[in-house]
Amino acid sequence: MSLIDGPTRQFLSGLYAEPGRCYHGLDHIAALLALAHANRAAIADEDAVEAAIWFHDAVYDARRSDNEALSAALARERLAGRCEPGRLDRIAAMIEATAGHEPPVFGDAAAEHDAALFLDMDLAILGAAPDTFDTYEAAVRREYAHVPDADWRTGRAAVLRRFLAREAIYRTAIFRSACEQAARDNLQRSLERLAGGAA
């Protein structure tokens, strides 16, 4: 039985439809669910990954720095009693890991691979076709419309450089093969645009 039942889906859909969600809305969730379905053969606990997808951006306020922790707390609250504690801990840890996109350590290879896949799916947009990536970047900029251009360029560039500094942006062979080079090309192009004064 799916952890995301009808009432939970309806509740979360309402959150994702809130004003100001230019990228982190229902289309983002639908894209991740489609990726999870496409890669279902590689996922050990599909329901846990589905729950992490649905809850990971449930709380999203571009002015806050604790959205991931609040989203994980919401998952714990809404799924309590419907999910065994250890499994709920893993779901919450996956959600919290989206803050820095560093996979959590569970001491369970299958659960860790699920978490790595989930995080890679969340970053798949970085390796999208250039026009799709540019649309994503423009949408995220609108979510941070309150940030002055100069501050945005500095902050965004720092985020992109952190990803480029990794030995690999993606943690799984599936996404490294499909997205790694395209993501690096997109991020480098974005950095050059930011350096040129584009917001």
Side-chain angles (χ1 to χ4, degrees):
M1 182 180 69
S2 174
L3 296 171
I4 307 298
D5 58 10
T8 302
R9 187 178 294 107
Q10 185 174 11
F11 166 73
L12 291 170
S13 294
L15 295 181
Y16 284 106
E18 289 174 342
R21 287 178 178 259
C22 304
Y23 173 72
H24 294 91
L26 280 171
D27 286 348
H28 174 52
I29 300 306
L32 266 62
L33 291 172
L35 284 171
H37 181 76
N39 291 285
R40 62 189 307 179
I43 299 173
D45 188 343
E46 290 182 65
D47 286 343
V49 170
E50 180 193 26
I53 288 171
W54 269 104
F55 276 99
H56 83 287
D57 284 325
V59 178
Y60 187 79
D61 180 345
R63 297 175 187 269
R64 301 186 64 112
S65 61
D66 58 352
N67 291 311
E68 296 85 3
L70 293 174
S71 294
L74 182 63
R76 288 185 180 280
E77 175 190 327
R78 300 289 300 200
L79 298 177
R82 303 187 59 236
C83 182
E84 56 269 27
R87 194 182 192 201
L88 186 49
D89 286 345
R90 290 196 301 274
I91 293 168
M94 284 193 280
I95 295 166
E96 290 169 348
T98 60
H101 284 88
E102 294 290 343
V105 175
F106 296 128
D108 177 305
E112 289 173 2
H113 188 258
D114 280 358
L117 267 175
F118 161 66
L119 293 173
D120 280 358
M121 289 187 286
D122 195 35
L123 294 179
I125 188 67
L126 301 183
D131 57 340
T132 302
F133 174 83
D134 290 348
T135 298
Y136 146 76
E137 284 230 305
V140 173
R141 179 64 182 108
R142 289 196 300 275
E143 292 180 339
Y144 283 82
H146 60 282
V147 177
D149 285 348
D151 293 342
W152 166 259
R153 287 194 296 271
T154 299
R156 185 65 175 172
V159 170
L160 302 186
R161 286 192 191 99
R162 279 198 296 273
F163 281 119
L164 283 171
R166 291 182 175 184
E167 184 176 342
I169 294 170
Y170 297 97
R171 305 297 184 171
T172 63
I174 294 169
F175 281 88
R176 280 197 301 272
S177 173
C179 300
E180 184 77 24
Q181 190 55 56
R184 290 189 175 277
D185 292 344
N186 281 332
L187 296 184
Q188 189 59 50
R189 188 166 49 84
S190 180
L191 276 174
E192 291 167 2
R193 190 162 53 218
L194 290 167

